[in-house]
Amino acid sequence: MIYLRLFWEFFKVGLFSIGGGMATIPFLTDLGERTGWFTSGQLADMIAVSESTPGPMGVNTATYVGFTIAGIPGGVIATLGLICPSIIVILIIAKFLRRFRQSKAVDGVFYGLRAASVALITAAMLQVAQIALISTGAAGTFAVNWIAVALALVIFVLIQFTPLKKLHPICFIALSAVVGIVLQM
C-alpha cells in the first residue's frame, strides 16, 4: 500500500508543478507536512543536494524520499510517479499541438502557464530563503541567521564581477560546500 501512496503523492506533485524543479518545492513542502515523510529542514537539505548533483531536482528528491520510505522499489515508484504526468502531457500535446498550434487560445494557455511557472518558482525561492536565512524558535519567535545572510550577500557581490561570471557554476557549488563544512566545525 505504501508503494501506491508514494506513486500517487508524487504523481500529484508532478502533475501540478509546471516549470521545473523549483516549481516542485511548494508541493513538496505540502507533501512533507501532510505525510510526515520529511521535515522542512530535511527538504532544504534535499534541495541543496539535488541542486548540486546531476539530474532534475524533483526527480532527485522523489527518488530520495521514496528510497527512505520504502527502499529501492520505493525510490523507483516515487520517481515514476513524479515523471508520469509529464510523459502523459507531452504525448497528449504532441498529438494535438500540430493541429492547434496557430490557435490564439493555445497561445494564451501557454502564455498563462509561463506566468504560473514564474509564480511557483518565486514561491519556492521565498521558501528556500526563509529556511536558509531565518530560524524559527518556540512560540513563533524567529531569528535571522546573519552568517547565512552575509554569505548570500558575499556571493551576490562576487558574481557581479566579470572574471567570476566566467567560472563554471560547479566552482561556486564546491566553494559553498567547503564554506558550509568549515562553518559546521
Side-chain angles (χ1 to χ4, degrees), residues 1-181:
M1 194 63 178
I2 190 67
Y3 297 129
L4 183 60
R5 181 143 190 232
L6 276 169
F7 183 86
W8 177 244
E9 294 294 343
F10 280 100
F11 184 88
K12 292 187 294 186
V13 170
L15 184 62
F16 294 109
S17 57
I18 298 167
M22 290 303 208
T24 64
I25 294 174
F27 298 103
L28 291 171
T29 302
D30 176 63
L31 177 63
E33 290 171 358
R34 284 187 299 104
T35 63
W37 289 343
F38 52 88
T39 65
S40 61
Q42 289 171 318
L43 178 60
D45 291 341
M46 287 187 276
I47 292 167
V49 171
S50 293
E51 285 295 311
S52 61
T53 56
M57 188 194 73
V59 171
N60 289 347
T61 304
T63 305
Y64 177 77
V65 171
F67 177 78
T68 58
I69 299 302
I72 292 173
V76 171
I77 288 170
T79 302
L80 287 174
L82 185 80
I83 65 172
C84 272
S86 297
I87 293 169
I88 293 167
V89 168
I90 287 169
L91 291 174
I92 292 170
I93 289 173
K95 175 93 172 139
F96 294 103
L97 188 58
R98 286 188 205 138
R99 193 177 314 159
F100 297 107
R101 184 60 189 126
Q102 301 304 321
S103 167
K104 287 196 180 281
V106 170
D107 284 342
V109 167
F110 281 117
Y111 186 76
L113 286 175
R114 280 185 269 179
S117 294
V118 169
L120 287 171
I121 291 168
T122 301
M125 178 202 64
L126 292 173
Q127 286 178 338
V128 169
Q130 180 182 4
I131 290 168
L133 303 177
I134 300 173
S135 305
T136 55
T141 61
F142 68 94
V144 175
N145 183 344
W146 292 109
I147 293 174
V149 171
L151 286 173
L153 290 173
V154 166
I155 290 171
F156 178 76
V157 169
L158 286 177
I159 63 174
Q160 302 306 311
F161 295 111
T162 304
L164 294 176
K165 286 183 181 179
K166 295 178 184 176
L167 288 176
H168 195 279
I170 197 72
C171 296
F172 291 102
I173 293 170
L175 179 62
S176 297
V178 169
V179 169
I181 290 168

